[in-house]
Amino acid sequence: MNNITKPNLIFKDDLLTGENIDRLTRKLKDLGDIFNDKAAFAQMDGETVVYDVESSFPVAHGTEGGLFYGITYIHPGKVGQEYFMTKGHFHEIRNRGEYYCTLEGEGMLLLMDENGNTRAEKMIPGSIHYIPGNTAHRTANVGEQILSFSAFWPSDAGHDYGTISEKGFSEILIEQEGQPVLVPNIKQ
Ligand SMILES: O=P(O)(O)OC[C@H]1O[C@H](O)[C@H](O)[C@@H](O)[C@@H]1O
Ligand SMILES: [Fe+2]
């Protein structure tokens, strides 16, 4: 491997041109159930964009053996002490895994197994994260600029939002003295 030059630019948009591209925007008003501080949430403008997702679906949803690709862009911001974050999900076919690669910004990836054990991985540009099967995943922007990351996942994985929207993760990520910390989720 000594003579091989590693690319220092991570492709971003190459796969997101042409057909079968899906663009999705989630605003605060779509995310009422994920933030714990309901009073802080009520004070904010529901039209505020929390994140955008662009995905490439080269095969039909549910196809066994295919792969999807996407980029998620999470805006900086907080609801109370809780950082802007994705809804979070298990895969519908529970044992399907996924890879994330951070493109820009600073984030935390929350991972929760089916027994409710939550852990977090720091996301920095270039960091690669393996999300094993049977693991719920959620990403939070803990920086002051956009957090973007690419994702690669099986085309039959599907998204199961139900469990998370009902109970959340067993721990939540909040800012304390300027630092992100995981604390138990009182909702559980
Ligand atoms: O689907 P959410 O939990 O809102 O997360 C936002 C997005 O994050 C990643 O990019 C995943 O690969 C997407 O499949 C997911 O849609
Ligand atoms: Fe996923």
Side-chain angles (χ1 to χ4, degrees), residues 8 38 79 89 111 125 128 161 172 179:
N8 54 14
K38 302 300 174 203
V79 176
H89 57 269
L111 298 163
I128 293 180
Y161 294 105
I172 60 169
Q179 294 300 316

Side-chain angles (χ1 to χ4, degrees), residues 41-177:
F41 185 86
Q43 296 295 314
M44 296 178 71
D45 180 0
E47 292 300 324
T48 307
V49 173
V50 179
Y51 59 100
D52 300 287
V53 187
E54 291 187 301
S55 313
S56 162
F57 301 128
V59 294
H61 286 269
T63 305
E64 193 184 320
L67 288 170
F68 290 158
Y69 171 73
I71 300 181
T72 303
Y73 301 85
I74 310 179
H75 292 252
K78 279 182 291 172
V79 176
Q81 294 170 286
E82 222 173 344
Y83 299 97
F84 278 12
M85 59 185 172
T86 60
K87 273 166 90 93
H89 57 269
F90 282 100
H91 289 149
E92 223 165 276
I93 301 188
R94 277 288 199 279
N95 68 5
R96 298 302 193 249
E98 184 163 357
Y99 272 109
Y100 281 178
C101 178
T102 313
L103 299 171
E104 53 196 351
E106 214 188 319
M108 290 290 254
L109 168 63
L110 265 62
L111 298 163
M112 181 176 76
D113 67 23
E114 290 192 296
N115 297 320
N117 301 308
T118 298
R119 64 183 197 280
E121 291 181 6
K122 180 125 190 75
M123 300 174 79
I124 55 166
S127 63
I128 293 180
H129 304 268
Y130 175 61
I131 300 162
N134 307 299
T135 305
H137 37 293
R138 160 177 285 166
T139 316
N141 184 347
V142 302
E144 279 162 18
Q145 60 174 106
I146 294 242
L147 168 72
S148 63
F149 61 94
S150 51
F152 307 82
W153 71 103
S155 43
D156 64 354
H159 293 79
D160 173 4
Y161 294 105
T163 321
I164 297 302
S165 79
E166 215 179 291
K167 289 177 137 190
F169 280 59
S170 58
E171 302 197 33
I172 60 169
L173 190 69
I174 60 168
E175 187 185 73
Q176 269 181 3
E177 291 165 12

